[in-house]
Amino acid sequence: MAEMSDSNLAKTTVIQQAIASCCGAIITSLFVTPLDVIKTRLQAQSNPFYKGKCFVYSNGLMDHICVCDNGDSKAWYKKPGHFKGMLDAFVKITQREGVKSLWSGLPPTLIMALPTTVIYFTCYDQLSEALKSRLGKDDEHIPILAGSLSRFGSVTIVSPLELIRTRMQFRKFSYKQLYLCISSEVASDGWLSLWRGWSSTVLRDVPFSAMYWYNYEHFKKILCKELGTHEPTFFIAFASGAASGSIASVITLPFDVVKTHRQTELWECETLKSAVPQRDSTSTWAVMRKIVAKNGITGLFAGIFKTKDALGQIRSSILCSLETPRGW
């Protein structure tokens, strides 16, 4: 994934990189999902989810917009708990519902998240090596270019698929009904309607990826030099991932807030059958102005010290600490 010895690179094929990315993604989701499940249960406890309500579910690999499709209290996010905090929720969910409940809702999201992660990391590896052969392996622009391009490509590919997944979840369409629905929407609004919310996702993910990979490579070189090692150890990869993930998360948080606000608003309008906001009122900059007018500039940094930011740091650390297997 990141800088490795020439001998290791010669042995690493695209298939091996894809398999390693997939394994790393599964391990990451297993570690991170319980934290987001607890976060969602706490949110549902303080603000009960009504029919059509949207919430963000993160499996550690990517965010998913989920829609409450009925009033059935059997849904995992609606089960009563009376939790006092994250630790209390963890204990009670494990005792009353079993350990498996900590991974509620994970399998359906992996159908989207695994291919996305494999595409992203494999593209990053391939682009990095292509750029190193042209610009030299020590060029500091390589992580920025490779990270930005690989994230741009993965977001563009996945954006319409995520929209389709959310629609199938709420409407429970058959494939034929889904095809007719999408065909009708494309006929009336054009192909770009399949990429609603794409711009806010790109504005968040591409800068995040560029900053993340640049800082990750930079911190890793510094730590390797300080510790007198030529190859990054687990600790070096983990620490570099945590530091670079924290910096990138804080800087791009306003775009993350906008993305979540914009996507949940669009889906709640559709599921509740209310008027979909005009394009001008849902643009990234329009949403930013609306948030600032309502909550001030601090509204763009809502939750900076909360669970979501922590999830990003943990995800970055785990994925990067799995760097060594990617060189097998």
Side-chain angles (χ1 to χ4, degrees), residues 159-164 167 181-198 262 266-267 270 276 279:
S159 187
L161 299 178
E162 176 65 7
L163 182 143
I164 291 170
R167 185 160 291 163
C181 176
I182 293 173
S183 298
S184 175
E185 187 169 312
V186 169
S188 60
D189 300 328
W191 283 99
L192 291 179
S193 62
L194 297 178
W195 278 269
R196 283 178 181 160
W198 173 86
R262 188 178 180 188
L266 283 169
W267 276 108
E270 176 165 329
V276 175
R279 185 178 180 83

Side-chain angles (χ1 to χ4, degrees), residues 197-205 255-256 258-260 262-263 284:
W198 173 86
S199 61
S200 55
T201 304
V202 166
L203 283 172
R204 180 198 68 169
D205 286 4
F255 294 109
D256 185 53
V258 170
K259 172 185 175 289
T260 302
R262 188 178 180 188
Q263 290 192 332
T284 299

Side-chain angles (χ1 to χ4, degrees), residues 161-177:
L161 299 178
E162 176 65 7
L163 182 143
I164 291 170
R165 184 200 67 82
T166 309
R167 185 160 291 163
M168 286 189 73
Q169 179 211 359
F170 180 72
R171 299 276 183 88
K172 291 185 168 48
F173 283 151
S174 65
Y175 288 107
K176 183 177 181 180
Q177 291 172 322

Side-chain angles (χ1 to χ4, degrees), residues 218-236:
H218 182 66
F219 291 147
K220 192 178 65 173
K221 288 178 181 178
I222 292 175
L223 289 174
C224 283
K225 185 177 180 180
E226 289 293 326
L227 297 176
T229 178
H230 296 290
E231 293 294 328
T233 62
F234 178 89
F235 168 77
I236 290 174

